[in-house]
Amino acid sequence: MLELSLRQAQVIAVTTQGLHTESAPPTAEETLRRLGCIQLDTISVVRRSHELVQLGRGVPAAQARRLIEGAGAPVLFEYWAHAASLIPIGLWPLFAFRRRGYAAKGWTGPVVDPAAVDHVRTVLAERDAVTITDMGGAQGSGWERSSANKWALEWLLATGEVAVVRRSGWQRVYQRAELVVPAALLSAEPDDAYCLRALAGLALRALGVATAGDVADYFRLPPRKVAACLATLEDAEPVRVEGWAEPAWLSRGSAGGTSADPDLCTPLSPFDSLLWHRPRMRRLFGVEYLLEAYKPAAKRECGYFGMPVLAGTTIAGRIAVRVSKGTAVVEGHQLADGHDPAHLERALATICRWAGADQVPALDQPPSPAGATP
């Protein structure tokens, strides 16, 4: 069995994800295809997460924005992958198992009003495309925003009757799936086993080297079924990785290279697919960060939106910055053992540039230790 050093695993993982490679920067669509999905999130104290994912790989923010605004033929759809995500439109058939599951078993979300579903269907038949605002908006604030029409739209999205292939501003544009999903993709209904096998293969190719648990987490697939199917994938080679207790798999067809630029330093969104699975983060990089946005301020160790800092192929620490009206404020920063504080300074300068800050503030306090976050 092939044995990989931890350093080799780090290089494969980082470059397979399109980070710190020595090739030319990709387009936004190429990045989306390479990753298989890009997680969405509403936090925007620096930039929206999907833009940060693209920026970290050398894609201009304007290009990332155009991708989600969806001018021209659809290239993506929004659906539940790792979480709410942008997904290449060509993968529509592979999520048939999830759409069927919602239709057959329901969901754990709010109760859906059948009258609201009928109303939404009637409006979509007349107008072709609607936003939540068009349907009367939602009441409340933050995660508590809700309305019967909103959840009717989300239910039809979950079951595949409705699709979202673009946004207007930050709002989803809901359309009947037959209007925006190519007919060949819409009519394809692969069985559950095929979907799982195909998505497991895509996840392994996106990760480069991973355990069965890592692969399952990528698209939120059943871990036991993923573990069973990995051994049947032609692209998957069993490997041992230095320091990993669990068996691992290497993608023979991964896009990763044999080298990474050691001089590059990139702040990453906490929702970046390189770092989704905390056990993998710990095994690969020796740190385990928990997003602290949902913790009370007094209990945060770093800050609201702590961005891990990728230095070469290791995590040097993380830094939490807020940028508002051109002013950047550093809430906190942490430095991993043995790393140069200059990495945090370089990451801060990059964050300020991405967010359009007027100037880069000084890191005028010593970083706190960057050990595992409980």
Side-chain angles (χ1 to χ4, degrees):
M1 184 181 295
L2 180 65
E3 296 191 4
L4 298 176
S5 68
L6 181 60
R7 163 68 178 166
Q8 288 173 314
Q10 289 171 339
V11 171
I12 292 168
V14 168
T15 57
T16 298
Q17 281 276 300
L19 290 156
H20 293 186
T21 68
E22 297 173 344
S23 57
T27 65
E29 187 176 349
E30 287 168 346
T31 296
L32 177 61
R33 288 200 303 268
R34 181 173 195 153
L35 299 180
C37 65
I38 295 176
Q39 186 174 343
L40 292 162
D41 193 82
T42 59
I43 296 175
S44 57
V45 294
V46 175
R47 293 194 81 99
R48 297 280 178 153
S49 181
H50 71 278
E51 294 180 340
L52 293 172
V53 169
Q54 297 275 13
L55 284 162
R57 290 155 176 81
V59 178
Q63 192 180 121
R65 195 177 307 115
R66 287 195 297 272
L67 183 74
I68 198 172
E69 288 172 353
V75 298
L76 59 80
F77 69 104
E78 293 190 27
Y79 199 62
W80 298 99
H82 178 78
S85 302
L86 305 175
I87 307 170
I89 191 70
L91 301 188
W92 174 275
L94 299 186
F95 289 85
F97 81 101
R98 190 156 285 163
R99 294 189 290 269
R100 287 192 295 262
Y102 284 129
K105 302 173 184 177
W107 65 0
T108 58
V111 174
V112 178
D113 181 357
V117 172
D118 290 340
H119 174 63
V120 165
R121 284 187 176 124
T122 299
V123 173
L124 281 170
E126 297 171 349
R127 300 184 57 175
D128 290 346
V130 298
T131 65
I132 294 294
T133 299
D134 295 330
M135 300 302 299
Q139 292 73 49
S141 61
W143 292 105
E144 303 302 320
R145 289 178 60 78
S146 182
S147 76
N149 288 338
K150 171 183 176 178
W151 295 117
L153 283 167
E154 288 296 311
W155 170 251
L156 293 176
L157 179 71
T159 55
E161 188 172 334
V162 161
V164 171
V165 299
R166 63 184 177 90
R167 289 198 170 206
S168 176
W170 292 114
Q171 291 196 85
R172 283 176 164 177
V173 177
Y174 299 85
Q175 297 174 270
R176 299 197 312 278
E178 67 265 23
L179 297 181
V180 291
V181 179
L185 299 177
L186 191 64
S187 63
E189 282 287 328
D191 63 27
D192 288 10
Y194 181 94
C195 294
L196 184 140
R197 178 183 170 86
L199 288 173
L202 285 169
L204 181 60
R205 284 194 291 278
L207 292 168
V209 60
T211 67
D214 301 337
V215 172
D217 180 75
Y218 203 82
F219 289 114
R220 299 290 168 87
L221 304 172
R224 289 185 179 180
K225 292 183 178 180
V226 167
C229 89
L230 279 170
T232 71
L233 297 179
E234 295 180 1
D235 182 42
E237 179 179 355
V239 295
R240 293 191 184 95
V241 178
E242 176 189 0
W244 291 20
E246 299 175 57
W249 298 86
L250 174 70
S251 170
R252 297 189 183 98
S254 75
T258 57
S259 63
D261 192 329
D263 297 323
L264 292 179
C265 182
T266 305
L268 300 175
S269 165
F271 304 106
D272 195 289
S273 49
L274 177 68
L275 305 171
W276 274 340
H277 199 36
R278 289 170 61 197
R280 185 170 188 261
M281 187 196 310
R282 182 175 60 248
R283 278 184 271 109
L284 269 175
F285 303 115
V287 296
E288 186 179 356
Y289 294 139
L290 174 68
L291 179 69
E292 298 181 302
Y294 310 116
K295 296 174 69 173
K299 295 185 178 181
R300 294 173 189 154
E301 296 183 0
C302 182
Y304 180 81
F305 193 68
M307 297 181 66
V309 177
L310 182 67
T313 57
T314 62
I315 299 296
R318 63 175 173 169
I319 185 166
V321 183
R322 286 180 185 262
V323 182
S324 178
K325 298 179 180 179
T327 299
V329 176
V330 179
E331 293 185 338
H333 53 293
Q334 296 175 301
L335 186 69
D337 290 343
H339 282 276
D340 187 344
H343 291 315
L344 300 184
E345 295 173 354
R346 290 175 60 190
L348 174 59
T350 299
I351 290 169
C352 290
R353 185 177 75 252
W354 287 349
D358 296 331
Q359 57 184 349
V360 180
L363 291 179
D364 54 2
Q365 60 186 27
S368 57
T373 300

